[in-house]
Each structure stands twice: as structure tokens, then as C-alpha cells.
Amino acid sequence: LKPMWQERQDEQPEGATAPDPEVRETLPAATRADKSVAVLPFVSLSSGEDDEFFADGLTEEILNSLAQLPELLVTARTSSFSFKGQETPVDEIATELGVQHIVEGSVRRSGDRIRVTAQLIRAQDGFNLWSETYDSTSADTITVQEDIAEEIAVALDVVMDEERRAAMRSAGLRDPAAFIAFQRGIKASREAHGEAYQIDALLAVNRYFDEVLGRVPDYGPAYTERADAYVHIINDVASDEPSLGNVPPNIVDNAYELAVESMTLAQQNAPNLQERRASEFDLAVITGDFYRILPKLEAYLATDHCVIGQWLDPMATVFGYAEPLVKRLEPIIQCNPLGPVRRFSQARAATWAGDPERALELTSAALEKLDHPWIKMAHIDALVALGRFESAEQEIRRSLDNPFYAFLNGAKLAAAQGDKARAEEIRAGLFEEFEMEQIGGFAGLQYYAVIGDRAEANRIAAGIDERAYGPLPLILITMWCGCGAPFDLEATPNFAAKLEQGNLSWPPRSTTDSPLKDW
């Protein structure tokens, strides 16, 4: 078992950034939508071991280059790559992604020779606005990629100058071997997040990102990916989770320093100002530097670009900015319509903002396109907040296959009904199924808070407060619980000091009535 915040939350809308954030922040969203484009994964027509990764890397390089142009709305990798290997008609893809143009192509490699074809299609009528075939060598891959991106920009009536060309060129790896390694790492990372002992797997994945950084030391996204395993470790240690597997003690002991080092390098090597600001925010949350959190959060909520830091969501949700977060996530979702995490975040924020009907609309719309347990959990949370207990029970039985997720939603449902015995029965069932004697602090603190066991909740919170390097684990637990303050501040002096340092409000609101909880 693993806590949900162990799952990857950094589903970044890759590439949807601009070289000049002031331009991007003031440019009307409708203008970008008029010149919207999705770059579909280029098809690999050869069967070498690395050929598919090469094709994916070339695709992402083109996508990231185009996304540096503020006139363009470029669909994120998560959404465009969801059509990989499918034979969906172009017009249907465009409708699903909400874009007017599609880029598609193919790559064939034979020894050192490559042939790349690319075309830009207007989705409305299937008209081919531009196409080209490149016969070249691997050494010229970057030149080919740059030319494709620039030709597409020109075909979409983007005025190009040397400054914009420089911004497009700076967005990528510019090293074919490095982007093969990066694509391998991305694929392995996604697989690792589904492993029973995912931290072991994530640490193994870092060899790919180390290979990338050995070739391109200033590639910020690789540092971001590399930090993920270490952030998992420090959060798991704080919450006393039984999920560290066979991680060597020296890595556990040094995980905080390793996480901060990688995140600092990600910030220093961010491809543009917006990415750097997001990295600065995440680093401040991890290190507990709360003096500047609130103004940075408010400044971010006033923008409309497609970049979001990993920890902006929980900070906004818990500390009174749920309603503006719902609105702020609209352009994020427009950039990445098939990305499940931000759709989940928006629905959860709506419930936190006191509008569970809106949350239900959002989850219902998302579930028509996506099958993701987090969206299902947000759907159930909205039903519970609305007092639709029978429907919530049916959804838990019907849609939550993961017993850990079913336990969390089921216990909160029972607590909202004032049925402590049922909540305890659900916990006992989980223990029996997995031969457990206790649950980690992430789920445990939520459970004891909603059933009203104040002493046990405070005991768990105090232990997390002592072990944590910063307040993040307690903020995440508070967000997932949605039960107001799951513990007393007197039990968590380090956490209380950070709230005072950041001038952050407490206690947070409760998303549901909790008859068993009297504080």
C-alpha cells in the first residue's frame, strides 16, 4: 500500500510555456485558441531498440519549441501522446483536444540515416497547410527538428524573429542520445508509480535522468524528474509509511539534501521565467521557507499561463484560495484536456470552495473521457458533501477497485453519516485483507480525525511534525481529509510556526459535516 500523495502529482503540461511571461500573462486566451495545435507522437517506421524513443523525443522537442511562442496554444504532451498507437481520425482528435490544427509525422532510421516526414493539418477541413520530408543523418537531427517547428510556426502566421527562434531552440535537449534517455526515463517513471514498492523503482529510474544530465547538464526538466524519488522518501519518512522497501539507509538519511539539490538545479536551469517561478515555489514549500509563499501564490493565481508547480494546488486549496484555484486551472486544463490530475484538482477545489454541485459537474465531465481513481474519489467526495450518501456508497462499490482508496472514501462516508462502527468495520476489513496491524500516518491521521478520535489524531500529527523537514506532509493530509483541522495546532508546534511565518490562515474549512468530530 502507498499513500495517494506518493502517486505522481507533477503531471506538468509539458512545453506549454512562453519565453516572455508578461506577454503570455496579458495575451487573451481566445487569441491563443485561434492558433491552437497538438503535436501527435511521430510514428516510428523502423524497429530498432531505441527507434520509438527517438521518435517520441523528436516529437517532444518540436512540441516544446512551439510552446515557447505566446501566440500559440500548444496541447501538452500528456494529452497529445494519449493518441499514440491509435487510428483516430484527425478531426476527432482535434475535437477531443480542443485545437484547430494537428501536426503528425513519421520517423525512419537506418544506421546513421534518418527520414522524417511532417505535416500540419487544419482539422476543420483536413487541408494540409504544410508538409515536408527530410532525408538526413542523426548528426543533423536537431536542425531537422528546429526547421519543422519554425515552418509550422510560419504556417500558423506567427511572426518570427531571431529572439523567438532563440527561445524555441533553448527549450529542448538538442542531443538525440539525451532525448532517447529522457523518453526512456519518462516511460520508466510512469511504470514505477504503479509498483508496490515504487520508491525502489523510482530510484532505479534516476539512472536515465543521470544519463541525460551527463550529456546536457543544464536541462532543468531532468532535475525535476530526478527529485521525485527523494521527495517521496522524505514525505514517507515523515508519515511513517510502510513503503520504503529496500531503500538503502544512506539514501533515506540523505533524501532531503538530495531532493533540495535536484530541485535547486531545476530552478536554476528552468527554460523560462514561469518554469523558474514554479520551481521556486515548490522549493520554498519543500524547505519550509514560508515567508514568501503567500505573495507568490497570489501572483500565480492572477496569471493565465499553462505552467503549474507541483505544490501550488495543495497550498491554494488548504489556505483559502480554493475558489480562485478553480478558475486558475481552466487554462491548465485547456492546455492538457486529457490530463487527469488537474481535472481532479479542479473538482476538489470546487468542493473545498463550498460548491460540490460544481465539483460533481466537473467530475462527471471528466469521467466521460478519463478513467482515473482520483477523479472517482473527488466525485464521491462531492456526493458526500451534498449528503447523497446512497449514491456515494454505490460509487464506492462500483468504481473504486483499489481497496486503499475505497477505505479512505468509505471511512469518510461512514463518518459523515455519524456511523463510527461502520468506519471501524471498514478499517478492520482493510487490515484483514492485507494482514496489517496499522496504517501509515497519511491515512491514519485522516481516519482518526473523521471518526473523532482527537487524542490519536494529535498523536499521529505530533509524530509527523517531529519527523518532517517542513509542513508539506501535514498540509497534504489536511487537503485530502477535507475535514477542517484534523489535529490541534498545539500538537504540531513546528507546523504552527510555519503558518505564523507565512501568515497563513487556520483552521481550514470542512467540506462535509462531520458529526463524529467535535473540533
Side-chain angles (χ1 to χ4, degrees), residues 210-433:
D210 288 340
E211 181 181 346
V212 173
L213 294 169
R215 301 184 67 90
V216 187
D218 60 352
Y219 190 58
Y223 289 110
T224 300
E225 294 289 343
R226 190 175 182 274
D228 188 43
Y230 306 124
V231 175
H232 279 240
I233 292 172
I234 61 178
N235 280 335
D236 278 15
V237 168
S239 298
D240 197 22
E241 300 292 341
S243 57
L244 293 178
N246 299 313
V247 180
N250 66 307
I251 294 181
V252 173
D253 294 341
N254 295 303
Y256 175 76
E257 288 76 13
L258 291 167
V260 170
E261 177 188 41
S262 290
M263 293 177 70
T264 300
L265 290 167
Q267 172 197 324
Q268 293 172 352
N269 294 284
N272 53 60
L273 184 57
Q274 291 299 353
E275 294 280 4
R276 185 160 66 250
R277 285 175 174 172
S279 296
E280 287 173 353
F281 188 94
D282 287 343
L283 190 58
V285 173
I286 289 292
T287 59
D289 178 12
F290 271 39
Y291 285 111
R292 294 173 294 174
I293 288 288
L294 200 54
K296 285 180 178 292
L297 176 61
E298 292 174 341
Y300 173 79
L301 291 171
T303 63
D304 71 347
H305 54 76
C306 292
V307 178
I308 185 169
Q310 187 170 4
W311 308 118
L312 281 157
D313 170 16
M315 297 298 292
T317 303
V318 171
F319 295 114
Y321 293 85
E323 188 171 348
L325 180 64
V326 174
K327 181 179 179 181
R328 179 63 187 84
L329 287 171
E330 286 294 344
I332 303 291
I333 292 169
Q334 187 180 23
C335 290
N336 197 11
L338 300 184
V341 173
R342 299 310 167 194
R343 284 182 171 270
F344 157 74
S345 296
Q346 188 182 43
R348 177 174 57 191
T351 299
W352 268 79
D355 193 356
E357 286 283 6
R358 172 64 172 151
L360 209 58
E361 293 174 3
L362 292 169
T363 54
S364 297
L367 288 170
E368 291 178 0
K369 299 181 177 182
L370 302 164
D371 182 20
H372 195 280
W374 288 11
I375 299 175
K376 295 173 184 176
M377 294 180 75
H379 189 77
I380 294 165
D381 281 343
L383 289 171
V384 173
L386 289 165
R388 301 179 189 176
F389 299 141
E390 184 175 344
S391 295
E393 177 69 30
Q394 291 174 352
E395 285 298 316
I396 291 172
R397 294 179 181 276
R398 182 182 68 85
S399 64
L400 287 184
D401 298 329
N402 186 307
F404 183 69
Y405 297 156
F407 159 69
L408 286 173
N409 271 122
K412 287 194 284 186
L413 170 60
Q417 295 172 296
D419 192 344
K420 185 175 182 179
R422 174 57 181 155
E424 291 176 340
E425 181 183 330
I426 291 170
R427 181 177 70 102
L430 183 74
F431 280 24
E432 180 179 356
E433 181 171 354

Side-chain angles (χ1 to χ4, degrees), residues 124-138:
Q124 182 180 10
D125 54 12
F127 184 74
N128 193 321
L129 297 176
W130 169 86
S131 64
E132 188 62 81
T133 297
Y134 299 84
D135 285 305
S136 188
T137 66
S138 297

Side-chain angles (χ1 to χ4, degrees), residues 105-263:
S106 64
V107 181
R108 185 185 297 277
R109 293 209 304 172
S110 178
D112 192 48
R113 302 295 303 177
I114 61 169
R115 166 170 283 193
V116 180
T117 65
Q119 57 183 338
L120 173 67
I121 302 168
R122 186 167 59 204
Q124 182 180 10
D125 54 12
F127 184 74
N128 193 321
L129 297 176
W130 169 86
S131 64
E132 188 62 81
T133 297
Y134 299 84
D135 285 305
S136 188
T137 66
S138 297
D140 295 325
T141 299
I142 304 306
T143 302
V144 170
Q145 168 256 308
E146 290 174 349
D147 190 72
I148 291 173
E150 291 182 18
E151 291 289 347
I152 291 169
V154 170
L156 292 174
D157 295 326
V158 176
V159 177
M160 299 297 294
D161 57 25
E162 191 52 40
E163 182 179 354
R164 292 190 171 196
R165 290 188 176 90
M168 293 173 72
R169 293 167 187 165
S170 68
L173 278 160
R174 302 181 62 81
D175 183 315
F179 65 59
I180 287 174
F182 190 73
Q183 294 301 319
R184 283 187 174 276
I186 292 294
K187 182 176 185 292
S189 178
R190 301 299 183 264
E191 294 172 350
H193 281 88
E195 296 286 339
Y197 293 102
Q198 59 180 275
I199 293 177
D200 289 342
L202 286 172
L203 288 170
V205 166
N206 274 352
R207 70 181 185 273
Y208 293 115
F209 302 125
D210 288 340
E211 181 181 346
V212 173
L213 294 169
R215 301 184 67 90
V216 187
D218 60 352
Y219 190 58
Y223 289 110
T224 300
E225 294 289 343
R226 190 175 182 274
D228 188 43
Y230 306 124
V231 175
H232 279 240
I233 292 172
I234 61 178
N235 280 335
D236 278 15
V237 168
S239 298
D240 197 22
E241 300 292 341
S243 57
L244 293 178
N246 299 313
V247 180
N250 66 307
I251 294 181
V252 173
D253 294 341
N254 295 303
Y256 175 76
E257 288 76 13
L258 291 167
V260 170
E261 177 188 41
S262 290
M263 293 177 70

Side-chain angles (χ1 to χ4, degrees), residues 34-38 99-103 120-123 129 156:
D34 290 341
K35 296 181 179 180
S36 52
V37 61
V99 298
Q100 296 186 4
H101 305 91
I102 296 290
V103 176
L120 173 67
I121 302 168
R122 186 167 59 204
L129 297 176
L156 292 174

